[in-house]
Amino acid sequence: MNERIAAPWIPTWIPASGHALRHAGVHFDAVRIRGELGQRVATELVLGTDFQAGPIVQEVTGERGMYFLLPPGTASVFTWPPGVRALTRKDGCQAYVGVPALTGVTWPLGWRSVPMPEALFVEGELLRTVVGRMSVRL
């Protein structure tokens, strides 16, 4: 029998294959940024952290949204500009985020930046700084 062997640091909310919906605010909060701004913020975070930005999920169809995954209970701490939405459990919010597996076919979702032991989540303060800087440029 071949059992899936997972590194101990791989979060339980990442599915073994395909993709799955996860309730925002339980395992993580998410910040959704659609379109060009999301693409630019993700690129800036990845390059600025030497490719250790933490988990960023991207939609490869439609509005091509980016979902920046933060520790639970932290996304609503920050004030986000128009067009940027915090997905949490606060204030009765019921939001779900699609999370792809680390390998295999995960279409229409993919990882722009994968979680790793050094960066299990995106750092909220850094994300807010980059979003503020990129929002002014558009």
Side-chain angles (χ1 to χ4, degrees):
M1 174 195 259
N2 292 331
E3 292 186 33
R4 180 174 179 257
I5 299 172
W9 64 267
I10 296 177
T12 59
W13 44 265
I14 296 178
S17 63
H19 53 80
L21 291 177
R22 300 293 188 233
H23 192 193
V26 175
H27 301 288
F28 55 79
D29 282 358
V31 174
R32 181 183 67 207
I33 308 174
R34 293 184 170 151
E36 183 183 344
L37 177 60
Q39 298 287 332
R40 292 177 68 184
V41 168
T43 298
E44 180 79 13
L45 270 178
V46 169
L47 294 176
T49 60
D50 198 24
F51 296 89
Q52 294 187 15
I56 304 171
V57 175
Q58 63 183 354
E59 296 173 325
V60 295
T61 60
E63 295 179 328
R64 298 184 179 267
M66 291 284 179
Y67 295 82
F68 301 84
L69 307 185
L70 283 64
T74 60
S76 61
V77 170
F78 304 98
T79 302
W80 302 100
V84 177
R85 180 163 180 216
L87 304 172
T88 69
R89 290 184 76 177
K90 292 195 179 219
D91 303 322
C93 180
Q94 294 279 335
Y96 292 85
V97 176
V99 176
L102 291 175
T103 60
V105 178
T106 61
W107 189 89
L109 301 173
W111 290 102
R112 178 65 175 88
S113 175
V114 296
M116 53 188 63
E118 303 81 17
L120 290 176
F121 295 103
V122 172
E123 185 182 316
E125 186 66 44
L126 178 60
L127 176 62
R128 177 62 189 104
T129 300
V130 172
V131 167
R133 190 169 55 240
M134 294 286 120
S135 295
V136 172
R137 292 183 187 176
L138 288 180

